[in-house]
């Protein structure tokens, strides 16, 4: 084996053709579903000003505190490889005056994201998300539609063992009182909490619900939950989201302890988990972020969105490699025919057929072996005298074919 001392950096990976094909199918399926629902594609840069994420994602979050790839560019500006897609899309929404368009603006995206996490199965430092955002409406209809589209995507892809967890964080005013109550509960049990949670009682008490520490979990069992403390408006909004999902036949479980690792969420939050995955069981999730655009300096603009992890989807699917077939392989019985072979290959491809030609100077026997390897259904063999044979690769049957009739024959 030709080995090199160079390897993909820790927590990153190469996407080789078998995996790339599955990814392409996932992204294609997603784009079809989103476009049918009137969502439009967008793409933002792989890096942004660091402050966008500090303000958007929140300084108290793990993402901003520990996980960002941040560096200074040559002009001394602080730049960060994007750890998530929502803050950049909101930045673009404001930068391009999309608040002047008919609302909500419905967008979708796919691409690489970067977090300096401890690598493990399903958790990488460069990973890929696809996601969507509906910006400019606070209607529960948008929440339900966003959730339905992720449910549809996972169903269409055949992701097994999917479960939807649903919660609400309420709106910021209502949440403030609840957070005081929660902090008081945590402070009363400080000694039983993990160090990490204890240090963040003031900064981010909600994350205590996410802890895997045994002592902390015990304390959280009796903690007040936000779903029990929603104000009337938030409770009505949440009830409407639930009833819309009921009416559309989407199964879910209300999880009053659901939290997410980003500060911008308000009201509805949700998480799709997959029983086939281990510790990193979430395939996708999101929620409402009614305050984010204002936080970034824009007008009050309610919005909802989610992101799904492409690698998690692939793990859940079991990464079954998908073979590709070729309609034909163009082979030569004599080296003098190579020029014609390449020209014929071009014509057949132009006619819409999937065709390969020998690029390695193989013998005829070697070419037919290769045709087999790439799963070509037929081989077109150019003989030394200029005639052509059409060979069925399955049966080995072979018969002469007129040059002008090859494309038609192959299309049969
Ligand atoms: P988040 O942006 O944290 O809400 O995550 C949305 C989705 O992205 C998760 O449900 C995962 O499927 C995926 N994801 C998040 N972080 C990672 C990571 N480090 N590696 C792989 N997938 C991730």
């Amino acid at each position: 084996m030709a080995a090199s001392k160079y390897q993909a950096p820790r927590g990153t990976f190469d996407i080789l053709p078998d995996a790339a094909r599955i990814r392409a199918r996932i992204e294609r399926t997603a784009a079809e579903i989103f476009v049918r629902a009137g969502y439009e594609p967008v793409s933002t840069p792989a890096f942004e000003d660091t402050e966008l994420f500090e303000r958007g994602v929140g300084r108290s979050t793990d993402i901003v505190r520990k996980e960002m790839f941040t560096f200074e560019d040559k002009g001394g500006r602080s730049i960060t490889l994007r750890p998530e897609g929502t803050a950049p899309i909101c930045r673009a929404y404001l930068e391009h005056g999309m608040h002047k368009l008919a609302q909500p603006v419905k967008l979708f995206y796919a691409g690489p994201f970067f977090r300096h996490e401890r690598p493990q199965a399903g958790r990488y430092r460069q990973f890929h998300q696809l996601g969507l955002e509906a910006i400019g409406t606070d209607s529960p209809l948008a929440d339900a539609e966003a959730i339905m589209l992720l449910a549809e995507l996972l169903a269409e892809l055949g992701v097994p063992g999917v479960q939807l967890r649903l919660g609400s964080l309420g709106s910021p005013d209502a949440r403030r009182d609840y957070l005081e109550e929660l902090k008081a509960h945590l402070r009363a049990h400080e000694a039983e909490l993990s160090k990490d949670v204890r240090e963040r009682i003031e900064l981010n008490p909600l994350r205590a619900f996410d802890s895997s520490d045994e002592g902390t979990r015990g304390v959280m069992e009796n903690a007040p939950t936000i779903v029990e403390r929603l104000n009337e408006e938030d409770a009505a909004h949440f009830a409407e989201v639930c009833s819309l999902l009921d009416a559309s036949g989407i199964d879910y479980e209300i999880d009053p302890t659901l939290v997410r690792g980003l500060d911008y969420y308000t009201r509805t939050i949700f998480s799709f988990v997959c029983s086939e995955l281990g510790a990193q069981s979430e395939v996708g999730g999101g929620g409402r972020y009614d305050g984010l655009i204002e936080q970034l300096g824009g007008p009050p603009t309610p919005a909802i969105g989610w992101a799904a992890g492409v690698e998690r989807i692939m793990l859940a699917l079991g990464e079954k490699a998908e073979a590709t077939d070729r309609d034909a392989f163009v082979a030569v019985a004599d080296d003098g025919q190579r020029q014609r072979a390449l020209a014929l290959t071009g014509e057949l491809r132009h006619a819409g057929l999937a065709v390969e030609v020998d690029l390695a100077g193989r013998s005829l026997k070697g070419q037919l072996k290769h045709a087999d390897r790439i799963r070509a259904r037929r081989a077109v063999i150019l003989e030394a005298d200029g005639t052509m044979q059409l060979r069925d690769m399955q049966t080995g049957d072979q018969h002469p074919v007129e040059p002008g009739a090859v494309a038609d024959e192959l299309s049969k």
Side-chain angles (χ1 to χ4, degrees):
M1 266 308 217
S4 150
K5 67 174 180 168
Y6 300 111
Q7 293 182 342
R10 197 165 132 72
T12 73
F13 49 87
D14 299 308
I15 302 170
L16 300 180
D18 278 346
R21 267 199 302 277
I22 301 175
R23 280 166 187 274
R25 181 172 68 84
I26 293 171
E27 287 193 15
R28 214 168 38 239
T29 305
E32 280 167 15
I33 290 172
F34 302 158
V35 166
R36 278 203 299 266
Y39 287 72
E40 304 211 79
V42 280
S43 178
T44 63
F47 59 85
E48 298 270 357
D49 287 341
T50 300
E51 204 192 322
L52 175 70
F53 300 113
E54 287 175 347
R55 285 197 72 89
V57 176
R59 289 190 169 83
S60 66
T61 60
D62 277 351
I63 294 180
V64 170
R65 283 180 1 129
K66 303 189 221 163
E67 296 171 1
M68 297 206 300
F69 284 95
T70 297
F71 55 94
E72 249 184 36
D73 72 5
K74 289 190 170 34
R77 287 168 292 258
S78 182
I79 293 291
T80 292
L81 296 183
R82 58 180 187 181
E84 61 92 53
T86 301
I89 287 183
C90 291
R91 195 248 328 123
Y93 174 91
L94 287 171
E95 186 172 335
H96 303 286
M98 289 191 237
H99 58 285
K100 293 183 212 125
L101 305 174
Q103 308 289 304
V105 174
K106 302 192 292 181
L107 303 168
F108 73 90
Y109 63 90
F113 293 86
F114 308 86
R115 292 182 197 171
H116 197 278
E117 300 202 78
R118 196 166 50 78
Q120 54 180 281
R123 193 199 257 174
Y124 314 97
R125 292 183 173 173
Q126 175 172 349
F127 57 98
H128 298 77
Q129 286 186 339
L130 45 89
L132 60 76
E133 320 283 351
I135 306 176
T137 176
D138 65 0
S139 168
L141 289 163
D143 306 45
E145 179 177 83
I147 292 170
M148 282 163 68
L149 288 169
L150 181 47
E152 183 183 346
L153 174 63
L154 297 174
E156 175 79 26
L157 291 171
V159 177
V162 172
Q163 252 193 334
L164 167 58
R165 299 205 178 124
L166 192 63
S168 174
L169 293 174
S171 43
D173 282 348
R175 195 163 8 149
R176 209 159 299 136
D177 297 339
Y178 164 73
L179 288 179
E180 286 313 315
E181 188 186 350
L182 179 61
K183 284 181 204 169
H185 176 80
L186 292 172
R187 276 192 298 255
H189 297 88
E190 235 178 294
E192 296 147 66
L193 299 174
S194 73
K195 182 166 168 285
D196 203 44
V197 169
R198 199 162 52 229
E199 282 172 357
R200 280 193 296 168
I201 294 181
E202 295 307 319
L203 205 57
N204 195 352
L206 279 177
R207 292 300 284 180
F209 283 112
D210 239 8
S211 174
S212 50
D213 172 71
E214 210 171 309
T216 306
R217 291 183 83 108
V219 174
M220 298 322 284
E221 262 169 37
N222 303 312
T225 68
I226 183 117
V227 170
E228 302 159 344
R229 298 288 191 274
L230 294 178
N231 68 23
E232 213 173 302
E233 277 187 354
D234 293 341
H237 192 278
F238 187 49
E240 183 62 13
V241 173
C242 293
S243 112
L244 290 166
L245 293 175
D246 292 339
S248 293
I250 306 272
D251 284 334
Y252 59 88
E253 193 184 301
I254 292 177
D255 181 350
T257 68
L258 196 61
V259 292
R260 299 198 64 74
L262 301 92
D263 270 359
Y264 50 62
Y265 287 113
T266 51
R267 293 193 160 175
T268 312
I269 50 170
F270 56 92
S271 170
F272 282 83
V273 292
C274 169
S275 57
E276 306 295 300
L277 296 175
Q280 307 302 316
S281 64
E282 187 187 277
V283 280
R288 198 161 256 298
Y289 47 93
D290 290 345
L292 177 57
I293 291 195
E294 211 175 348
Q295 182 105 9
L296 299 178
T301 312
I304 175 130
W306 54 256
V310 175
E311 289 78 22
R312 302 266 175 95
I313 291 176
M314 291 181 66
L315 283 170
L317 289 175
E319 295 207 37
K320 291 173 219 95
E322 291 160 30
T324 46
D325 292 338
R326 295 279 171 279
D327 294 310
F329 185 85
V330 176
V332 296
D334 181 273
D335 277 338
Q337 294 295 324
R338 290 208 182 261
Q339 212 175 4
R340 259 184 94 212
L342 185 63
L344 174 66
T345 301
E347 283 167 32
L348 296 174
R349 287 175 184 160
H350 191 67
L353 295 159
V355 183
E356 285 192 54
V357 64
D358 180 46
L359 300 176
R362 294 182 176 88
S363 67
L364 180 59
K365 192 167 161 225
Q367 291 173 68
L368 292 177
K369 209 166 141 192
H370 188 64
D372 230 15
R373 198 181 295 136
I374 65 165
R375 300 165 53 105
R377 278 189 285 277
R378 254 89 57 100
V380 182
I381 303 167
L382 277 60
E383 304 284 357
D385 63 3
T387 60
M388 292 184 189
Q389 297 279 327
L390 194 62
R391 181 187 178 91
D392 185 312
M393 292 302 296
Q394 203 90 64
T395 60
D397 290 347
Q398 202 167 299
H399 63 86
V401 60
E402 287 302 314
V406 180
D408 280 349
E409 287 260 354
L410 288 176
S411 302
K412 278 182 195 160

